[in-house]
Amino acid sequence: MSNSYRVAVVGATGQVGTLMLKLLRERSFPASEIVPFASERSVGRELAGGLIVQGLDEESVQGFDIALFSAGGAISGEWAPRFADAGAIVIDNSSRWRMHEDVPLVVSEVNPDALAAHHGIVANPNCSTMQLAVALKPIHDEAGIERIVISTYQAVSGTGKRAIDELLDQSRALLAGSGMGAERVSPGSAEREIEPPDAYAHQIAFNALPHAGAFAAGEDHTDEERKLINETRKILGDPDIRISATCVRVPVVNGHSEAVNVQTRRELSPERARELLAAAPGVIVLDDPAHGVYPLAIDATGRDEVFVGRIRRDPGHERALDMWIVADNLRKGAATNAVQLAELLHERGLMGRRGAPQAA
Ligand SMILES: NC(=O)c1ccc[n+]([C@@H]2O[C@H](COP(=O)([O-])OP(=O)(O)OC[C@H]3O[C@@H](n4cnc5c(N)ncnc54)[C@H](OP(=O)(O)O)[C@@H]3O)[C@@H](O)[C@H]2O)c1
């Protein structure tokens, strides 16, 4: 086993890719070389540390030990198997391979043993699933989870940089307008004052959209809601958990929040849940609401942990708890977990070719 790896980062100029490059350096990942890839638009661009962006072609994808992907599902569908066939292990941030039966879907603190079954591609879960799984794991181990009801409050950075620009542009335009009264940030009047929305179906500034992700034809759930349901079951290894999800986009720049009702199979007190969560890897409990202490998106931003608070008994069910779970969707929700998986593959001697799975 080599102790120093040739690493490709595909989507290196994007939000997640930029952070993965930074984390590989900060966490001293044993890389002999890091090669950034992006679209043709960025080829030749110099990134931090003097790295020069390359384009994807048959020749340039050869000779890597590991490839971290964050360039969207279409690029992962086309290029992840090519990197894997050329000998690399791919860690993919897109949804393209997550539910493929030959592809482990792994959260570093939750199901690291699943990595051993890789066939050249490992999937990183969706950001809202990631933080949920980290917080639910100790509860599931102790008391068994029967049902989860979850409402997300998802930041616009989860949609990409253009969505951050859209939120800020709309906010500036609305606040800069004459007569900054409530009528300017309410439906109708406000929507006519700004450019037509592009990243979302409606104005995101001063609003909440019950529409995170996309509705496929005939579907009454968004793909984001389906991902949360299916990926959580796959990661926790329990297809019987019943999950109800509503994913909401809110005008927060970064950091996803989740209100979660967890019904367990065996009774679990809020005190014991607090103890379990405080001892769980990657979790920080912030739970003193009387003093205004609970997780906040603005505090979680820039942090790698998952924050849990407002842990309390559901007055409507003797075996259910309510809680509030917050994490940085670009860090633990994407880049941090991807780099942690690379570290685990190294530590466990799992680098090396296994052959790519067949396309679904
Ligand atoms: N944002 C999140 O919270 C989050 C969380 C989990 C997973 N993810 C997933 O991570 C991926 C990237 O998200 P992001 O927010 O980082 O997006 P982003 O900021 O829009 O970055 C997209 C990256 O993909 C590259 N790219 C686009 N088309 C390409 C092509 N034809 N060939 C090669 N590279 C291409 C872009 O390069 P150019 O700069 O050259 O265009 C850029 O580096 C998505 O699959 C997303 O679903 C995101």
Side-chain angles (χ1 to χ4, degrees):
M1 182 184 69
S2 164
N3 280 322
S4 193
Y5 305 102
R6 199 161 172 259
V7 183
V9 175
V10 181
T13 53
Q15 298 185 102
V16 177
T18 302
L19 202 43
M20 291 196 297
L21 286 174
K22 185 167 178 263
L23 290 167
L24 287 168
R25 278 194 302 272
E26 277 176 12
R27 297 170 70 101
S28 305
F29 184 77
S32 57
E33 187 187 5
I34 297 177
V35 180
F37 289 88
S39 78
E40 288 303 322
R41 295 179 289 278
S42 306
V43 170
R45 206 177 121 192
E46 185 171 339
L47 305 180
L51 302 177
I52 305 294
V53 175
Q54 310 291 314
L56 292 164
D57 60 48
E58 279 310 331
E59 207 177 313
S60 64
V61 306
Q62 302 297 318
F64 288 96
D65 297 297
I66 188 153
L68 307 181
F69 266 65
S70 65
I75 299 299
S76 293
E78 185 179 349
W79 289 96
R82 297 194 195 185
F83 272 91
D85 282 340
I89 298 180
V90 173
I91 299 176
D92 183 29
N93 271 291
S94 82
S95 59
R96 176 62 182 81
W97 296 98
R98 289 180 192 147
M99 296 310 294
H100 195 292
E101 61 179 23
D102 286 341
V103 174
L105 179 65
V106 189
V107 182
S108 63
E109 301 88 345
V110 178
N111 59 337
D113 294 346
L115 280 175
H118 82 80
H119 293 267
I121 300 179
V122 172
N124 219 28
N126 179 256
C127 40
S128 40
T129 308
M130 189 89 71
Q131 63 191 71
L132 182 70
V134 172
L136 291 185
K137 166 74 173 162
I139 295 173
H140 191 48
D141 285 350
E142 170 99 353
I145 293 176
E146 194 164 278
R147 181 166 194 256
I148 308 160
V149 181
I150 171 166
S151 301
T152 69
Y153 301 68
Q154 295 182 224
V156 297
S157 63
T159 311
K161 190 174 175 313
R162 76 191 171 104
I164 300 179
D165 292 341
E166 189 157 311
L167 168 60
L168 299 179
D169 288 346
Q170 288 178 356
S171 304
R172 279 188 209 104
L174 290 162
L175 291 171
S178 57
M180 274 174 28
E183 75 281 1
R184 299 194 54 80
V185 292
S186 60
S189 61
E191 259 181 291
R192 284 192 293 275
E193 298 293 331
I194 57 173
E195 295 293 316
D198 174 43
Y200 301 112
H202 302 278
Q203 173 191 320
I204 183 65
F206 307 102
N207 210 357
L209 308 177
H211 183 170
F215 289 99
E219 251 286 20
D220 57 4
H221 284 69
T222 65
D223 56 351
E224 188 81 1
E225 289 158 352
R226 292 285 182 210
K227 286 179 208 170
L228 196 47
I229 295 167
N230 297 331
E231 293 179 22
T232 300
R233 288 181 178 142
K234 179 168 175 176
I235 295 161
L236 293 178
D238 190 341
D240 295 332
I241 299 177
R242 288 182 288 156
I243 306 178
S244 167
T246 305
C247 291
V248 181
R249 190 73 62 184
V250 293
V252 168
V253 172
N254 192 54
H256 288 352
S257 304
E258 300 177 337
V260 184
N261 180 276
V262 189
Q263 186 178 319
T264 52
R265 297 195 169 109
R266 295 173 291 282
E267 198 183 332
L268 182 69
S269 69
E271 295 73 27
R272 180 67 183 141
R274 224 171 267 124
E275 246 173 53
L276 292 167
L277 285 160
V283 177
I284 293 183
V285 173
L286 293 176
D287 200 11
D288 185 7
H291 293 97
V293 176
Y294 28 69
L296 296 175
I298 54 173
D299 296 335
T301 290
R303 300 286 299 266
D304 291 317
E305 303 90 344
V306 172
F307 298 85
V308 187
R310 298 293 321 277
I311 302 163
R312 61 203 190 278
R313 165 81 56 222
D314 169 359
H317 198 288
E318 66 283 1
R319 279 184 288 104
L321 299 174
D322 285 301
M323 60 191 70
W324 180 247
I325 303 170
V326 180
D328 183 329
N329 50 295
L330 296 178
R331 279 194 168 246
K332 184 59 193 174
T336 302
N337 196 67
V339 173
Q340 287 170 322
L341 297 186
E343 291 168 349
L344 280 171
L345 289 166
H346 162 61
E347 286 159 21
R348 296 183 172 208
L350 292 169
M351 294 285 194
R353 183 180 171 172
R354 300 275 178 102
Q358 298 301 305

